[in-house]
Amino acid sequence: DAGVIQSPRHEVTEMGQEVTLRCKPISGHNSLFWYRQTMMRGLELLIYFNNNVPIDDSGMPEDRFSAKMPNASFSTLKIQPSEPRDSAVYFCASSPAGTGTSPLHFGNGTRLTVT
Amino acid sequence: RKEVEQDPGPFNVPEGATVAFNCTYSNSASQSFFWYRQDCRKEPKLLMSVYSSGNEDGRFTAQLNRASQYISLLIRDSKLSDSATYLCVVNLGGYNKLIFGAGTRLAVHP
């Protein structure tokens, strides 16, 4: 099992640029989550999908953030335009079921720096 | 009140010590509870699930107190390799909406 795969591992961009983060969940997992982690705010849930459908996006900070899951094996998190305060580690995670009883499997994360 | 609260620490303990972390949660309807471990600059990894009757995995023991809405993690005979941040995780309703506490940092020294 390859685990959750995220790309890129590191992203450095200038303010105002578009950033796209990618995630491939573990095959067979029905739920996918995007988290953001900073020193000040810890791990924040941004959005999660169940069977490719967005269930709760209340954690998405602003309209500059959007996420899609066009199929069961791929998801993107896009920031447009990016701002320095978006600098953080963005984690994607998946779990096998959407019943509230399954733990999450995390990818290695994307470390985003916006200058 | 935060949905999941933990003492941030750090807890500095010598090898062989027993250390306990507590975590409180605000939603009485929560049904799933976990402890995750996160090493510096790494992703969080599941340490153990927490069951209603309490459960043990080697040197680690997890307890759940629904009436008081807190969970705990006990680590016995601490090892240097236990040094990490321990994250309390609680689900908030269906569809596996898992919320993480801010984490408790543990440093085990020789």
Side-chain angles (χ1 to χ4, degrees), chain A residues 83-112:
Chain A
E83 297 182 3
R85 60 195 167 119
D86 302 331
S87 298
V89 180
Y90 290 80
F91 287 107
C92 175
S94 68
S95 75
T99 60
T101 60
S102 302
L104 302 180
H105 301 257
F106 281 82
N108 291 331
T110 295
R111 186 171 297 276
L112 173 65

Short mmCIF file of all heavy atoms in Angstrom, two decimals, chain A residues 83-112:
data_model
loop_
_atom_site.label_atom_id
_atom_site.label_comp_id
_atom_site.label_asym_id
_atom_site.label_seq_id
_atom_site.Cartn_x
_atom_site.Cartn_y
_atom_site.Cartn_z
N GLU A 83 -1.72 34.34 -0.32
CA GLU A 83 -1.26 35.42 0.55
C GLU A 83 -0.24 34.86 1.54
O GLU A 83 -0.28 33.65 1.83
CB GLU A 83 -2.43 36.06 1.30
CG GLU A 83 -3.45 36.72 0.40
CD GLU A 83 -4.58 37.39 1.17
OE1 GLU A 83 -4.53 37.39 2.42
OE2 GLU A 83 -5.50 37.92 0.52
N PRO A 84 0.64 35.70 2.07
CA PRO A 84 1.65 35.21 3.03
C PRO A 84 1.04 34.46 4.21
O PRO A 84 1.63 33.49 4.70
CB PRO A 84 2.36 36.49 3.47
CG PRO A 84 2.26 37.40 2.28
CD PRO A 84 0.90 37.12 1.70
N ARG A 85 -0.13 34.85 4.67
CA ARG A 85 -0.74 34.17 5.83
C ARG A 85 -1.24 32.77 5.49
O ARG A 85 -1.67 32.03 6.38
CB ARG A 85 -1.90 35.00 6.39
CG ARG A 85 -3.03 35.26 5.42
CD ARG A 85 -3.92 36.37 5.96
NE ARG A 85 -4.85 36.87 4.95
CZ ARG A 85 -6.15 36.81 5.07
NH1 ARG A 85 -6.70 36.28 6.14
NH2 ARG A 85 -6.94 37.29 4.12
N ASP A 86 -1.18 32.41 4.22
CA ASP A 86 -1.54 31.04 3.83
C ASP A 86 -0.38 30.07 4.05
O ASP A 86 -0.54 28.85 3.90
CB ASP A 86 -1.96 30.98 2.36
CG ASP A 86 -3.13 31.88 2.04
OD1 ASP A 86 -3.96 32.12 2.96
OD2 ASP A 86 -3.22 32.36 0.90
N SER A 87 0.78 30.60 4.38
CA SER A 87 1.95 29.75 4.61
C SER A 87 1.67 28.79 5.76
O SER A 87 1.28 29.19 6.86
CB SER A 87 3.17 30.62 4.94
OG SER A 87 3.49 31.46 3.86
N ALA A 88 1.84 27.51 5.47
CA ALA A 88 1.49 26.46 6.43
C ALA A 88 1.88 25.12 5.82
O ALA A 88 2.34 25.04 4.68
CB ALA A 88 -0.01 26.46 6.73
N VAL A 89 1.67 24.07 6.60
CA VAL A 89 1.77 22.71 6.05
C VAL A 89 0.35 22.22 5.80
O VAL A 89 -0.50 22.26 6.71
CB VAL A 89 2.50 21.75 6.99
CG1 VAL A 89 2.57 20.35 6.36
CG2 VAL A 89 3.90 22.26 7.30
N TYR A 90 0.09 21.79 4.60
CA TYR A 90 -1.23 21.31 4.23
C TYR A 90 -1.17 19.78 4.13
O TYR A 90 -0.38 19.23 3.37
CB TYR A 90 -1.67 21.92 2.90
CG TYR A 90 -1.97 23.40 3.03
CD1 TYR A 90 -0.94 24.34 3.03
CD2 TYR A 90 -3.28 23.86 3.19
CE1 TYR A 90 -1.20 25.69 3.19
CE2 TYR A 90 -3.55 25.21 3.35
CZ TYR A 90 -2.50 26.12 3.34
OH TYR A 90 -2.77 27.46 3.51
N PHE A 91 -2.01 19.15 4.92
CA PHE A 91 -2.08 17.68 4.93
C PHE A 91 -3.36 17.21 4.28
O PHE A 91 -4.44 17.76 4.50
CB PHE A 91 -2.04 17.14 6.36
CG PHE A 91 -0.71 17.24 7.04
CD1 PHE A 91 -0.49 18.18 8.04
CD2 PHE A 91 0.31 16.36 6.72
CE1 PHE A 91 0.73 18.27 8.69
CE2 PHE A 91 1.54 16.43 7.36
CZ PHE A 91 1.75 17.39 8.34
N CYS A 92 -3.22 16.15 3.52
CA CYS A 92 -4.36 15.41 3.02
C CYS A 92 -4.40 14.09 3.79
O CYS A 92 -3.36 13.52 4.12
CB CYS A 92 -4.18 15.15 1.53
SG CYS A 92 -5.45 14.11 0.78
N ALA A 93 -5.60 13.63 4.10
CA ALA A 93 -5.74 12.36 4.80
C ALA A 93 -6.94 11.61 4.22
O ALA A 93 -7.87 12.23 3.69
CB ALA A 93 -5.94 12.58 6.30
N SER A 94 -6.91 10.30 4.34
CA SER A 94 -8.06 9.51 3.90
C SER A 94 -8.40 8.48 4.95
O SER A 94 -7.58 8.16 5.81
CB SER A 94 -7.80 8.83 2.54
OG SER A 94 -6.81 7.82 2.65
N SER A 95 -9.62 8.01 4.92
CA SER A 95 -10.05 6.94 5.82
C SER A 95 -10.99 6.01 5.08
O SER A 95 -11.63 6.41 4.11
CB SER A 95 -10.70 7.50 7.08
OG SER A 95 -11.99 7.97 6.81
N PRO A 96 -11.08 4.77 5.54
CA PRO A 96 -11.84 3.77 4.79
C PRO A 96 -13.35 3.93 4.83
O PRO A 96 -14.03 3.42 3.98
CB PRO A 96 -11.42 2.44 5.43
CG PRO A 96 -10.85 2.79 6.74
CD PRO A 96 -10.33 4.18 6.65
N ALA A 97 -13.87 4.64 5.82
CA ALA A 97 -15.32 4.73 5.92
C ALA A 97 -15.72 6.09 6.47
O ALA A 97 -14.93 6.75 7.14
CB ALA A 97 -15.85 3.63 6.84
N GLY A 98 -16.94 6.46 6.18
CA GLY A 98 -17.40 7.77 6.65
C GLY A 98 -18.35 7.67 7.82
O GLY A 98 -19.29 8.44 7.94
N THR A 99 -18.09 6.73 8.70
CA THR A 99 -19.04 6.49 9.78
C THR A 99 -18.64 7.13 11.09
O THR A 99 -19.31 6.99 12.08
CB THR A 99 -19.18 4.97 10.02
OG1 THR A 99 -17.89 4.44 10.38
CG2 THR A 99 -19.68 4.28 8.77
N GLY A 100 -17.53 7.81 11.11
CA GLY A 100 -17.08 8.45 12.35
C GLY A 100 -16.28 7.54 13.25
O GLY A 100 -15.94 7.92 14.36
N THR A 101 -15.96 6.34 12.77
CA THR A 101 -15.23 5.41 13.63
C THR A 101 -13.85 5.06 13.09
O THR A 101 -13.11 4.33 13.74
CB THR A 101 -16.02 4.10 13.79
OG1 THR A 101 -16.20 3.52 12.49
CG2 THR A 101 -17.37 4.36 14.41
N SER A 102 -13.53 5.57 11.94
CA SER A 102 -12.27 5.17 11.30
C SER A 102 -11.21 6.23 11.48
O SER A 102 -11.47 7.41 11.28
CB SER A 102 -12.49 4.96 9.80
OG SER A 102 -13.48 4.00 9.58
N PRO A 103 -10.01 5.82 11.86
CA PRO A 103 -8.92 6.79 11.97
C PRO A 103 -8.45 7.25 10.59
O PRO A 103 -8.81 6.68 9.57
CB PRO A 103 -7.82 6.00 12.68
CG PRO A 103 -8.10 4.57 12.35
CD PRO A 103 -9.58 4.46 12.22
N LEU A 104 -7.66 8.29 10.59
CA LEU A 104 -7.18 8.89 9.36
C LEU A 104 -5.76 8.43 9.05
O LEU A 104 -4.95 8.19 9.94
CB LEU A 104 -7.17 10.42 9.49
CG LEU A 104 -8.49 11.08 9.80
CD1 LEU A 104 -8.31 12.59 9.88
CD2 LEU A 104 -9.53 10.73 8.78
N HIS A 105 -5.48 8.35 7.76
CA HIS A 105 -4.13 8.07 7.27
C HIS A 105 -3.67 9.32 6.54
O HIS A 105 -4.30 9.73 5.56
CB HIS A 105 -4.15 6.87 6.33
CG HIS A 105 -4.67 5.63 6.98
ND1 HIS A 105 -3.85 4.60 7.40
CD2 HIS A 105 -5.93 5.24 7.28
CE1 HIS A 105 -4.59 3.64 7.93
NE2 HIS A 105 -5.85 4.00 7.88
N PHE A 106 -2.58 9.90 7.02
CA PHE A 106 -2.12 11.16 6.47
C PHE A 106 -1.05 10.99 5.41
O PHE A 106 -0.25 10.04 5.47
CB PHE A 106 -1.53 12.03 7.59
CG PHE A 106 -2.55 12.72 8.44
CD1 PHE A 106 -3.16 12.04 9.49
CD2 PHE A 106 -2.90 14.03 8.22
CE1 PHE A 106 -4.12 12.66 10.28
CE2 PHE A 106 -3.85 14.67 9.01
CZ PHE A 106 -4.46 13.98 10.03
N GLY A 107 -1.04 11.93 4.46
CA GLY A 107 0.09 12.05 3.56
C GLY A 107 1.22 12.79 4.24
O GLY A 107 1.09 13.22 5.39
N ASN A 108 2.31 12.94 3.52
CA ASN A 108 3.49 13.60 4.08
C ASN A 108 3.33 15.11 4.21
O ASN A 108 4.13 15.77 4.88
CB ASN A 108 4.72 13.31 3.22
CG ASN A 108 5.14 11.87 3.31
OD1 ASN A 108 4.93 11.21 4.31
ND2 ASN A 108 5.71 11.35 2.24
N GLY A 109 2.32 15.65 3.56
CA GLY A 109 2.08 17.08 3.65
C GLY A 109 2.78 17.88 2.56
O GLY A 109 3.76 17.43 1.96
N THR A 110 2.25 19.05 2.31
CA THR A 110 2.88 20.03 1.42
C THR A 110 3.20 21.27 2.25
O THR A 110 2.31 21.86 2.85
CB THR A 110 1.95 20.44 0.26
OG1 THR A 110 1.71 19.32 -0.58
CG2 THR A 110 2.57 21.58 -0.54
N ARG A 111 4.48 21.61 2.28
CA ARG A 111 4.89 22.82 3.03
C ARG A 111 4.84 23.99 2.08
O ARG A 111 5.62 24.09 1.15
CB ARG A 111 6.29 22.62 3.60
CG ARG A 111 6.76 23.75 4.50
CD ARG A 111 8.07 23.39 5.19
NE ARG A 111 7.92 22.24 6.06
CZ ARG A 111 7.49 22.28 7.32
NH1 ARG A 111 7.20 23.46 7.87
NH2 ARG A 111 7.40 21.19 8.06
N LEU A 112 3.89 24.89 2.33
CA LEU A 112 3.67 26.04 1.46
C LEU A 112 4.25 27.29 2.09
O LEU A 112 3.97 27.59 3.25
CB LEU A 112 2.18 26.24 1.20
CG LEU A 112 1.79 27.51 0.43
CD1 LEU A 112 2.34 27.48 -0.99
CD2 LEU A 112 0.27 27.70 0.43
#
